[in-house]
Amino acid sequence: MHQQQDDDLGPDPSTGANDNRTDGPTRSATSSASSFDTWVDQHVASLRGFALVVCGNPSDADDALQEALVRAYIRWVWISRTHDPLRYVRRMIANAHISAWRKHRRRESPISDVFVLVEDTASRATSTGGIAELLSQLTPKQRLVVALRYLDDLSFTEIAKTLRMPESTVRSHHARALKTLQTSPWESKQ
């Protein structure tokens, strides 16, 4: 069985290759948990901000962040050895959001959910000076591309690889997002 691997990140730690597990916790497992806790304390605010931009609302952002951190904890020994653990966990957040978006977009939304979403968007727009209002005008994929481009400082090629889509599609989402943001009526309200 052939398993696809990401060249930048090495082998997938979930495969269990070269896994020398013992019964019960080990000294390295304890230090790894401590290392993870320290890392999360240092980066949780940045990761939550990234999740908010990618997901577009606090509830989905918290879900994506939680899922990514749970998965990161399980693989922390391996992730901590990568070139940039912060970038890796941000990608995990983006992937968690994409998975949730794919899972729920096929489901019907009750009308009450729509009203809650509208009220939530309005309250965020007033509490953040309109930034949330601007970002809410973008499609989920456009928000994701903008977040990866400007918050994670990825190139179009890296974004395409991360999202597993053609670079031309990434550039198209980026261009449309910028056009939407530039022609936004919000600027005239200032």
Side-chain angles (χ1 to χ4, degrees):
M1 174 191 269
H2 176 69
Q3 190 172 38
Q4 187 178 26
Q5 298 175 353
D6 190 348
D7 296 336
D8 292 340
L9 302 175
D12 183 2
S14 65
T15 61
N18 299 325
D19 192 4
N20 299 323
R21 294 187 183 180
T22 61
D23 293 329
T26 64
R27 177 183 235 175
S28 67
T30 305
S31 66
S32 175
S34 168
S35 163
F36 180 76
D37 290 343
T38 302
W39 185 87
V40 169
D41 287 343
Q42 292 172 351
H43 298 285
V44 72
S46 170
L47 291 170
R48 184 155 195 283
F50 179 79
L52 278 167
V53 170
V54 167
C55 298
N57 70 61
S59 176
D60 291 345
D62 289 342
D63 290 347
L65 177 59
Q66 182 177 356
E67 183 176 336
L69 290 177
V70 166
R71 290 176 185 249
Y73 178 77
I74 293 168
R75 297 177 179 94
W76 183 246
V77 172
W78 182 83
I79 292 171
S80 65
R81 295 180 186 149
T82 63
H83 175 67
D84 190 353
L86 183 61
R87 181 176 282 184
Y88 190 87
V89 174
R90 282 183 175 165
R91 190 174 88 177
M92 292 174 82
I93 291 169
N95 288 343
H97 173 64
I98 291 168
S99 294
W101 180 73
R102 285 178 179 158
K103 191 183 307 180
H104 297 293
R105 75 176 175 181
R106 294 183 182 105
R107 186 181 67 154
E108 291 182 27
S109 296
I111 193 73
S112 61
D113 287 354
V114 174
F115 289 126
V116 169
L117 179 62
V118 169
E119 289 172 5
D120 182 51
T121 301
S123 67
R124 283 184 296 125
T126 58
S127 67
T128 60
I131 299 299
E133 182 182 350
L134 275 173
L135 294 175
S136 70
Q137 296 175 19
L138 303 178
T139 67
K141 287 183 182 179
Q142 289 172 349
R143 265 196 322 270
L144 185 55
V145 168
V146 167
L148 291 172
R149 180 78 172 138
Y150 296 106
L151 294 180
D152 211 13
D153 199 28
L154 295 180
S155 69
F156 291 119
T157 304
E158 292 169 320
I159 295 170
K161 187 175 183 181
T162 299
L163 300 180
R164 293 183 177 97
M165 64 175 58
E167 186 175 338
S168 60
T169 303
V170 169
R171 288 180 181 275
S172 175
H173 285 306
H174 181 261
R176 288 181 183 144
L178 291 182
K179 184 174 183 174
T180 298
L181 295 174
Q182 289 171 348
T183 60
S184 170
W186 182 74
E187 288 182 3
S188 62
K189 293 179 185 176
Q190 294 296 322

